Amino acid sequence: RQAAMNSLVNVKDQAASGEPAIAFVSGGPFLGKSRLIDEVAAEAASDGFTVLKSFRTSLDSFTSFFPLRQIVAAAMIKVASTLRGEDFDSEVEAADYLVQENVFKKTDRVNIGSIVPQVADAQLLSLLSGMNPNARTKSIVDSMMKILKLLNPLIIILEGDGDIDPSSWSLLAEIMQRAKEECPTIMIIVSSRNSPTITSAASNLRRNAVQVKLTPFEKNETEQYLRFLLRIEDTEVGIDQRLIDVVHDRANGCPLFIESVARWAHEKNLIEFVEGSKKMTLKMLDERSDDVTDAIPRELSNILLAPFNHLSPPLWDALKIASCIGYSFDSDLYRALNQELELIPKIEELSEKYGCFEHTGTHFRWKQQAVYEAVKSLLMVNQRQIIHRMIVDAFRANDIDPNDLVLKGGDVHRLLGRHCALAEDWAAAFEQYIKAGDRAKAAFNFNEASKMYEEAIDYQAKMTEPLTLRSRMIPTINLGACFRELARYREAEAVLTRCLNEAETNSAAIALDDELYVRALTAMAALHQARSNYDDARQLYEKAVPIARNIHESGSSLWLAGNIAGYAETLRKSGDLPQAELHHREALEIRTRAVEEKSCTELELAVSYTQLGCTLAGMRRHNEAYQQHHRALGLRYRYLDFSHGLVSESMNYCAESLCALGRGVEGIPLALHAVEIRKTIFGTTHPAYAHALSILASCYQSVGRSFDARDCLEKCLEICEVAFQRNHANIIPNLMNYGNVLRSTGDLKKARTVYQRAIAIHQLNFKEGQQASRLEKCRAEVDNLADKILQLESPSVPVGDSMNDLSDDLMKVQLHSLAPADVESDGTPVIVFTDIGRDVDDELSLVLLSALRRKHLLNPIAIIATLSPQDQRAHLARGSIDSMGMPDVPVGIGSSGGVDDDIELEVYDADYSIPSPCIYQSGIELVYAALESVPPNSAQLLCIASLADVATVMREREELFTAKVKEVVVMGGVVSPEIGETLVPDSAYNNNCDISAARYVYRKCQEIGIPTVTLSRWAAYGCPMPPQLLDEMSATEHMVARNIRSVSKISVDQLWNKVRLHPSDPRREKIPNRCDVNWFCRTFMSKGELSKDWKASVWSLVQKLNMYDPLAMLLAVPAYRTAHFAFKEKVVNGVTHLCVGTSERDTGIKNRLALFDEYSTLFLSAFEESLHRKVNIN
């Protein structure tokens, strides 16, 4: 076997060098495949490789992903154990920990649950609905790679004698395709008895695999192996030919059996060395024996089972039953055999005392396959049949409920179906496979479900009792539905056509079961709809719906409502919107009556609201559409988890309707949350995620952010091209949106090409007259774009107005044209300078700003992100205010805030912090544009960061500043107003970032007569925020609220670690020297003191949080300023300057509780209103 060994070692070395590799090891039973692989695995482990192994039998080929179940479970346990520093006992605990540590997200839990059912959340499995098989494969591998790459270098070994299911081959192909970039030091070994049967989708594996085929030993190889076993090192010593012949004959060339025969003969003292001939030979038992070879048993089972000759009869029975169950099994699934047979306790005894089995948790496996095969060989066919009947009877007698086993229930039905079949109880096998198929279908595992239904259909032919038409048709209808979900449309059509033909041939029988006929018709209609054959789908529904009406005359039948709604959706998609509306309203009425009769919950109405809303939107009745979608959203908020896919569906549709109503500003927070939810749950390759991106793009486009819209649509189309079959009708709306956006960005030629493709796809999917308005719009756009391109390419077009310059010009216009501010209707124009991302109070101030904007008290005209790294802060500001409903407020990148260029301070993480083309690269230019857009003496500057950028504006454009700015509000501090003739900034953090800039701003404002309002840290100390308010905000589920709550804990701990340091330590950054351990305890804990040696988290000890910047935001509003703040005045050059909080005793807060109630209400309303939780839909 050295050649085979060398081949595998070479593959291992290839993987170790960073070139992913795969090997197929094949050969009959007992030829040494496992031993060969174990040798390579041991060598790899000594080289630092992680080794993951699984074993499968022929029974497991029915179960999707079964060969990878043990692999993924072991990988999760290893990664989680490494991260925690102690071992996990189960894959469920490991998965929980990986989610907790953010290694996995919810979508990963769903994906991994497809392979390891115990890990899945049953409620989340429904989110797999509608996922294209290819997209699902990619999404599952996305999740697998998160743990596999942490185990590199890695060897995955898939051993077994059964076929590998198609789903697993697809996963392996995807893993190998991506391994070079994500998991380069990986080696996969697949062993099987025959060369593996690989699906066409994974054909690249066969091309790239190293093939290692083991064959039985030739006689000379048997001799070589015997020399090794008998430890013959002397070349002059030989082996008698009779010994070679008998061992080779008994062992059939199998190394394992050669070893077994040799060991047995040696233990029986049948082998001796003959000095005269210098040979090892068979020993004569007595002088009368003519043929000593007869002493060696001809049946190898006698040799293999000799160690078990003294087992008690009950233990022998347990071995025989276990051999009928299979090579490996889950004891949970066979607990029904404990009551009558005490099987599992006996298996455990056989494992512990006799070494028959090895097990991990509830999973048992025969320790030696040869022993398993030997026990099986002892049983006659009728004996095996009796045992299988006994197993079936035990299940029936104990009435095991598969639901008790949660996600293992499908395995119970599948395995019980197999035992029924082997017991030749065909009717019971049929029933169990139907149930197994139903469970797999309910879990959206359509590959496995289709196999179960095919098995059930096969057993129909063996049943002696004739089946009813319903029993024959139900598995066929379900099989067709599974094929449809798997996009195996031709097979689905063949199955369902056969089913309908049988129904119509048996007209007498079908007349007695109209409901069955309707199921068959609607199953075929759904197939036609999936293939965009709307005319065919419509004809079938028009045959099915009248029958359904006759069956269920009750005005509250949900089954009838579902069929009517299905018909209405076909009408909608085919373009007959008036009829679609009529039928959707009828379905809504039926469901409403069902709710009134308490036969279902209100949540059922959300389906009708959504479908009706989509229909009304298609009719351009957008206000009515929004009302329906908002009703659905309200119900889903009430009954479902915020992260549920149906919540994101309603968010999407509400956002789309708001966009169509010209209210895209309100739609963007909903669209952003829908994108985040779908990304978390479905992953980034699912059509549902693509749809959310498309809606977000429309909203961005509606507020003039075409370049952001373009980026979203390009991601969306990239997903759709993979998720849908080529030229699917669902791609058309996205192409039209993309063409519109490209036109807005100035990419006219590409826009024309996109519209032309939309026309081509429309013509492939629709007949003349269907969706005619959409087709005409595309044609009109193509003609219009052609004229515009021709015009721009004309030689008479001036330089700078050509095609090449158009896109750049549009970008400049989009970023530099600000609408004039309307003080009367929109409130006071305000420019905010923020170092958002340093701590959460900056972001909380922007949350307040969104609430004050809705009240028309403040009108933000620009937000400038300052303090290094200012570009990252701008990304955070952009994402934060977008999600709070201020996507039309421009954001600019300010200066480093007085920090040296080579120093970058931290910016906390947020999923919504992303680069955007719609961010001013020059924040100063944005300030100038914003000031020029407002009336004289109307703008406020709110400075909750370094004053460096304000100083720059005043130095460079003093005249503009003096003309437009009416007041500067500063979060910082001044030396007591009672000292000196002018205000002088103190050592507050914001001042300290660039003290020279701070001094300049205060001095200049007092010189030119611009009033200042300063809020000091003492004011924040006078109205601390309890951490419980952050919990309340987080409970709204708004992405900003959740992130603020998470970051607050991190920020407090980070601040503690800084104040513990010596004042000269550069790791303190710009924190003033007065901020030490004592200051921290007084500020955050009210009482008590910590040792500076305290290294654990201090979050649980925090009693109060000081939110400086939100108070400064409230101070900018005169009504709140008067109501809640007491200030000191300082008159300089006839202008009054205000200071709030001049000392620890004089905090400037009039009524702490009243102020807290004010801002907590504003915070909560800001989050709830941006999510449309409290919105009047009329």
Side-chain angles (χ1 to χ4, degrees):
R1 296 300 189 222
Q2 192 59 48
M5 181 72 177
N6 291 343
S7 295
L8 287 184
V9 169
N10 289 339
V11 174
K12 185 262 296 182
D13 291 342
Q14 176 184 332
S17 70
E19 290 292 332
I22 184 167
F24 294 155
V25 179
S26 61
F30 318 121
L31 292 181
K33 298 188 297 295
S34 294
R35 179 172 295 185
L36 175 68
I37 292 169
D38 287 346
E39 289 287 339
V40 175
E43 182 176 321
S46 66
D47 291 341
F49 276 76
T50 300
V51 180
L52 302 176
K53 295 178 67 174
S54 72
F55 191 91
R56 67 192 182 281
T57 68
S58 57
L59 304 174
D60 302 319
S61 60
F62 286 121
T63 306
S64 295
F65 309 120
F66 186 88
L68 292 161
R69 187 176 291 184
Q70 291 170 262
I71 300 294
V72 173
M76 286 192 295
I77 290 172
K78 282 182 178 292
V79 171
S81 298
T82 301
L83 291 176
R84 192 173 68 169
E86 57 182 284
D87 292 342
F88 280 87
D89 294 329
S90 76
E91 57 267 33
V92 176
E93 292 177 356
D96 289 340
Y97 184 78
L98 292 174
V99 172
Q100 176 186 325
E101 294 298 308
N102 291 320
V103 176
F104 278 166
K105 293 188 175 180
K106 284 187 178 181
T107 181
D108 302 310
R109 190 74 181 257
V110 175
N111 288 334
I112 295 298
S114 299
I115 303 172
V116 187
Q118 299 92 312
V119 166
D121 184 330
Q123 292 183 337
L124 293 178
L125 284 176
S126 63
L127 304 176
L128 295 171
S129 176
M131 184 179 281
N132 173 285
N134 291 336
R136 185 182 182 193
T137 296
K138 291 179 183 296
S139 187
I140 292 173
V141 174
D142 284 341
S143 301
M144 290 178 65
M145 283 298 185
K146 292 183 178 181
I147 50 176
L148 296 184
K149 66 184 180 183
L150 298 177
L151 297 173
N152 261 226
L154 173 64
I155 289 186
I156 293 175
I157 299 170
L158 308 175
E159 286 191 89
D161 56 6
D163 289 335
I164 290 180
D165 64 282
S167 299
S168 293
W169 279 124
S170 296
L171 282 190
L172 292 173
E174 182 70 16
I175 288 170
M176 291 303 295
Q177 183 175 334
R178 292 167 50 174
K180 179 64 177 175
E181 297 297 325
E182 302 177 51
C183 190
T185 50
I186 185 173
M187 172 185 179
I188 297 176
I189 300 176
V190 179
S191 77
S192 56
R193 291 191 174 179
N194 302 305
S195 183
T197 303
I198 302 176
T199 59
S200 58
S203 57
N204 64 304
L205 292 179
R206 185 178 295 281
R207 289 194 301 270
N208 298 326
V210 172
Q211 302 279 352
V212 178
K213 186 171 180 61
L214 302 186
T215 57
F217 280 0
E218 298 294 334
K219 194 169 286 188
N220 66 310
E221 292 174 314
T222 298
E223 180 181 0
Q224 290 176 32
Y225 194 36
L226 272 175
R227 291 184 69 88
F228 167 76
L229 293 173
L230 297 175
R231 299 182 180 180
I232 302 173
E233 298 179 0
D234 190 340
T235 56
E236 295 183 0
V237 175
I239 300 177
D240 183 73
Q241 190 61 44
R242 285 190 307 166
L243 176 56
I244 296 171
D245 290 344
V246 72
V247 172
H248 189 73
D249 175 65
R250 298 292 193 272
N252 294 314
C254 294
L256 176 64
F257 294 162
I258 292 171
E259 185 176 340
S260 297
V261 172
R263 183 184 295 113
W264 185 89
H266 186 267
E267 289 174 353
K268 298 294 184 181
N269 201 27
L270 294 179
I271 299 176
E272 66 178 355
F273 174 67
V274 179
E275 185 67 38
S277 63
K278 293 277 187 183
K279 288 183 179 180
M280 301 294 292
T281 185
L282 285 170
K283 183 179 180 181
M284 297 285 290
L285 292 180
D286 57 61
E287 295 180 357
R288 294 170 297 172
S289 296
D290 294 327
D291 187 4
V292 294
T293 61
D294 289 340
I296 299 177
R298 294 189 176 275
E299 293 294 333
L300 279 170
S301 60
N302 294 335
I303 295 176
L304 294 168
L305 298 178
F308 309 111
N309 285 339
H310 301 294
L311 286 182
S312 65
L315 289 180
W316 261 112
D317 289 342
L319 275 182
K320 293 174 183 178
I321 294 170
S323 75
C324 288
I325 289 174
Y327 181 72
S328 61
F329 52 90
D330 187 331
S331 62
D332 262 359
L333 304 180
Y334 286 94
R335 66 188 191 193
L337 305 184
N338 287 347
Q339 190 166 340
E340 299 290 332
L341 307 172
E342 295 186 355
L343 178 68
I344 302 306
K346 291 173 183 173
I347 295 294
E348 290 171 347
E349 183 179 349
L350 287 165
S351 175
E352 292 168 8
K353 292 184 178 179
Y354 301 96
C356 296
F357 301 94
E358 55 190 9
H359 69 96
T360 304
T362 63
H363 192 269
F364 283 79
R365 170 181 166 182
W366 288 76
K367 200 161 190 178
Q368 293 184 8
Q369 188 173 0
V371 173
Y372 163 64
E373 298 284 354
V375 175
K376 274 203 329 181
S377 70
L378 296 178
L379 298 173
M380 304 293 289
V381 173
N382 65 325
Q383 290 177 306
R384 284 197 291 269
Q385 189 173 324
I386 290 170
I387 291 175
H388 286 295
R389 284 178 184 166
M390 186 168 58
I391 293 172
V392 171
D393 290 341
F395 270 90
R396 288 173 178 161
N398 288 280
D399 195 24
I400 293 293
D401 183 1
N403 293 315
D404 291 343
L405 293 166
V406 195
L407 293 165
K408 292 184 182 179
D411 290 341
V412 171
H413 289 304
R414 176 175 54 81
L415 295 173
L416 187 52
R418 166 182 165 266
H419 290 302
C420 290
L422 292 171
E424 297 189 3
D425 187 344
W426 311 122
F430 170 78
E431 179 186 357
Q432 291 301 323
Y433 278 118
I434 288 288
K435 289 180 179 178
D438 290 345
R439 288 187 73 105
K441 183 168 175 278
F444 301 93
N445 190 345
F446 298 110
N447 264 320
E448 184 169 327
S450 63
K451 292 175 186 174
M452 296 298 100
Y453 291 132
E454 286 175 321
E455 286 291 307
I457 291 167
D458 287 344
Y459 289 122
Q460 287 178 350
K462 298 183 178 183
M463 294 168 63
T464 54
E465 292 292 327
L467 284 171
T468 64
L469 182 63
R470 170 173 281 268
S471 295
R472 294 200 304 273
M473 285 182 61
I474 289 296
T476 309
I477 292 171
N478 289 342
L479 178 60
C482 290
F483 284 156
R484 183 192 76 233
E485 292 286 351
L486 294 168
R488 293 161 62 179
Y489 295 135
R490 290 184 180 177
E491 293 167 89
E493 184 174 14
V495 166
L496 293 174
T497 298
R498 187 169 65 248
C499 184
L500 277 172
N501 289 342
E502 182 178 6
E504 290 166 356
T505 301
N506 293 272
S507 55
I510 202 67
L512 300 174
D513 198 344
D514 283 340
E515 186 173 324
L516 180 64
Y517 188 41
V518 170
R519 284 188 63 175
L521 289 169
T522 54
M524 181 65 89
L527 173 62
H528 285 309
Q529 184 171 310
R531 302 175 81 175
S532 303
N533 298 332
Y534 298 118
D535 277 351
D536 293 336
R538 182 170 180 168
Q539 290 173 17
L540 289 168
Y541 270 120
E542 286 171 350
K543 187 183 291 187
V545 170
I547 300 173
R549 291 186 199 280
N550 291 333
I551 297 171
H552 288 264
E553 296 180 357
S554 164
S556 60
S557 166
L558 294 177
W559 179 79
L560 175 59
N563 281 298
I564 292 171
Y567 177 39
E569 282 296 278
T570 296
L571 291 169
R572 178 176 73 86
K573 291 181 179 180
S574 66
D576 192 347
L577 298 178
Q579 282 297 308
E581 180 191 3
L582 184 68
H583 286 81
H584 273 313
R585 290 195 183 278
E586 181 185 359
L588 176 58
E589 289 173 6
I590 295 171
R591 286 174 169 142
T592 301
R593 283 193 290 271
V595 171
E596 291 169 352
E597 294 173 8
K598 301 190 184 306
S599 60
C600 66
T601 68
E602 282 184 293
L603 189 59
E604 188 72 32
L605 300 179
V607 177
S608 278
Y609 289 146
T610 299
Q611 293 173 335
L612 179 57
C614 291
T615 305
L616 293 167
M619 301 169 77
R620 298 186 178 280
R621 290 155 58 183
H622 297 297
N623 193 52
E624 295 174 76
Y626 172 66
Q627 292 179 22
Q628 298 296 331
H629 288 312
H630 192 269
R631 290 187 180 110
L633 180 61
L635 288 173
R636 287 168 173 172
Y637 275 151
R638 191 184 313 164
Y639 288 99
L640 301 175
D641 289 341
F642 185 84
S643 60
H644 199 287
L646 291 176
V647 172
S648 68
E649 177 186 78
S650 290
M651 286 178 166
N652 264 335
Y653 286 132
C654 283
E656 188 175 42
S657 296
L658 288 167
C659 182
L661 290 168
R663 296 162 60 186
V665 167
E666 298 174 61
I668 283 177
L670 291 171
L672 282 168
H673 280 83
V675 167
E676 184 63 22
I677 291 170
R678 294 191 169 196
K679 179 181 178 181
T680 300
I681 293 178
F682 294 101
T684 56
T685 58
H686 197 285
Y689 177 64
H691 180 243
L693 288 171
S694 175
I695 301 300
L696 179 59
S698 297
C699 291
Y700 276 139
Q701 177 73 352
S702 73
V703 298
R705 288 171 56 179
S706 301
F707 293 94
D708 281 315
R710 177 199 62 194
D711 293 350
C712 288
L713 281 169
E714 287 175 352
K715 291 179 190 174
C716 166
L717 285 166
E718 183 180 345
I719 296 166
C720 290
E721 296 291 357
V722 175
F724 296 119
Q725 66 187 77
R726 182 167 176 77
N727 296 325
H728 196 283
N730 285 356
I731 298 176
I732 297 174
N734 293 327
L735 288 172
M736 293 177 69
N737 288 343
Y738 188 39
N740 182 37
V741 166
L742 288 172
R743 180 185 185 122
S744 299
T745 63
D747 198 344
L748 304 187
K749 287 186 176 180
K750 190 171 183 179
R752 179 178 62 180
T753 301
V754 168
Y755 276 117
Q756 287 170 337
R757 186 175 176 221
I759 291 170
I761 295 175
H762 182 100
Q763 291 170 337
L764 288 172
N765 287 279
F766 297 98
K767 294 184 178 180
E768 188 172 352
Q770 289 183 333
Q771 297 282 4
S773 61
R774 188 161 69 180
L775 179 61
E776 287 307 311
K777 181 177 180 180
C778 288
R779 286 173 171 162
E781 288 289 346
V782 169
D783 292 342
N784 188 284
L785 286 164
D787 292 342
K788 184 68 175 176
I789 291 168
L790 189 63
Q791 176 186 344
L792 289 170
E793 289 181 339
S794 169
S796 60
V797 174
V799 175
D801 292 338
S802 67
M803 285 287 298
N804 294 333
D805 300 317
L806 185 57
S807 182
D808 289 340
D809 289 344
L810 284 171
M811 173 70 90
K812 292 173 184 175
V813 169
Q814 190 167 4
L815 291 180
H816 288 73
S817 60
L818 300 180
D822 187 337
V823 179
E824 289 297 322
S825 61
D826 297 333
T828 302
V830 61
I831 300 174
V832 180
F833 296 84
T834 174
D835 54 7
I836 185 172
R838 189 177 63 85
D839 44 43
V840 299
D841 62 336
D842 285 79
E843 193 165 11
L844 279 170
S845 71
L846 297 183
V847 172
L848 278 187
L849 180 59
S850 71
L852 298 174
R853 188 195 194 202
R854 289 188 182 91
K855 292 178 176 293
H856 307 290
L857 295 173
L858 291 180
N859 174 25
I861 56 174
I863 293 176
I864 308 302
T866 183
L867 193 67
S868 177
Q870 56 270 43
D871 55 342
Q872 293 181 36
R873 299 188 193 280
H875 299 161
L876 177 57
R878 179 74 278 163
S880 182
I881 68 172
D882 281 2
S883 65
M884 293 307 307
M886 299 187 290
D888 53 337
V889 176
V891 172
I893 300 175
S895 72
S896 63
V899 176
D900 292 342
D901 291 339
D902 59 341
I903 296 176
E904 287 196 354
L905 307 178
E906 77 274 3
V907 178
Y908 59 71
D909 291 331
D911 289 339
Y912 46 85
S913 175
I914 53 174
S916 166
C918 299
I919 292 177
Y920 277 71
Q921 294 303 303
S922 171
I924 296 300
E925 292 297 324
L926 171 58
V927 173
Y928 298 154
L931 288 176
E932 287 168 351
S933 72
V934 304
N937 194 35
S938 65
Q940 279 183 318
L941 301 189
L942 176 60
C943 309
I944 52 177
S946 163
L947 292 170
D949 294 85
V950 180
T952 299
V953 173
M954 296 177 76
R955 288 189 182 102
E956 292 185 354
R957 299 289 297 275
E958 181 178 333
E959 184 178 345
L960 176 66
F961 183 91
T962 304
K964 300 289 188 170
V965 175
K966 74 170 186 178
E967 186 177 71
V968 177
V969 180
V970 180
M971 172 57 234
V974 292
V975 177
S976 175
E978 298 173 357
I979 300 174
E981 298 181 356
T982 61
L983 292 177
V984 177
D986 65 8
S987 63
Y989 179 89
N990 289 342
N991 294 335
N992 225 27
C993 287
D994 191 336
I995 191 63
S996 62
R999 290 168 180 160
Y1000 176 82
V1001 169
Y1002 273 98
R1003 177 172 56 78
K1004 198 66 179 175
C1005 282
Q1006 293 170 89
E1007 285 178 5
I1008 62 179
I1010 301 296
T1012 62
V1013 181
T1014 302
L1015 183 96
S1016 79
R1017 64 184 182 276
W1018 302 115
Y1021 299 164
C1023 187
M1025 176 188 292
Q1028 290 78 8
L1029 180 57
L1030 295 184
D1031 296 334
E1032 287 185 56
M1033 289 189 271
S1034 184
T1036 67
E1037 298 285 357
H1038 195 289
M1039 60 173 68
V1040 170
R1042 292 198 315 270
N1043 199 63
I1044 284 173
R1045 166 64 179 77
S1046 173
V1047 168
S1048 294
K1049 175 183 179 299
I1050 297 171
S1051 297
V1052 167
D1053 285 336
Q1054 287 177 341
L1055 180 59
W1056 166 250
N1057 288 327
K1058 289 176 184 176
V1059 301
R1060 290 169 53 225
L1061 301 172
H1062 189 274
S1064 63
D1065 195 314
R1067 290 174 294 173
R1068 287 176 62 94
E1069 298 174 347
K1070 293 285 185 175
I1071 295 177
N1073 292 346
R1074 59 180 170 76
C1075 297
D1076 57 12
V1077 169
N1078 292 332
W1079 166 86
F1080 183 94
C1081 294
R1082 291 195 311 273
T1083 303
F1084 295 99
M1085 296 169 53
S1086 297
K1087 58 183 179 179
E1089 185 172 328
L1090 285 178
S1091 165
K1092 66 178 181 180
D1093 295 327
W1094 183 280
K1095 296 180 180 179
S1097 172
V1098 295
W1099 179 252
S1100 61
L1101 306 175
V1102 170
Q1103 299 294 319
K1104 55 185 181 178
L1105 300 170
N1106 297 313
M1107 296 299 171
Y1108 310 88
D1109 298 337
L1111 296 183
M1113 184 65 70
L1114 287 179
L1115 193 61
V1117 179
Y1120 294 128
R1121 182 185 300 176
T1122 303
H1124 298 295
F1125 299 97
F1127 33 79
K1128 299 285 187 182
E1129 295 183 351
K1130 182 82 169 184
V1131 179
V1132 180
N1133 294 331
V1135 175
T1136 301
H1137 300 265
L1138 305 180
C1139 303
V1140 178
T1142 57
S1143 68
E1144 186 173 3
R1145 296 176 61 85
D1146 181 10
T1147 63
I1149 304 301
K1150 289 183 176 180
N1151 185 319
R1152 179 176 62 82
L1153 294 179
L1155 179 54
F1156 171 75
D1157 287 344
E1158 190 81 71
Y1159 69 63
S1160 61
T1161 299
L1162 288 170
F1163 279 135
L1164 293 171
S1165 68
F1167 291 126
E1168 290 173 342
E1169 288 182 27
S1170 67
L1171 291 174
H1172 285 238
R1173 287 185 182 271
K1174 293 184 177 179
V1175 177
N1176 186 342
I1177 63 173
N1178 296 316

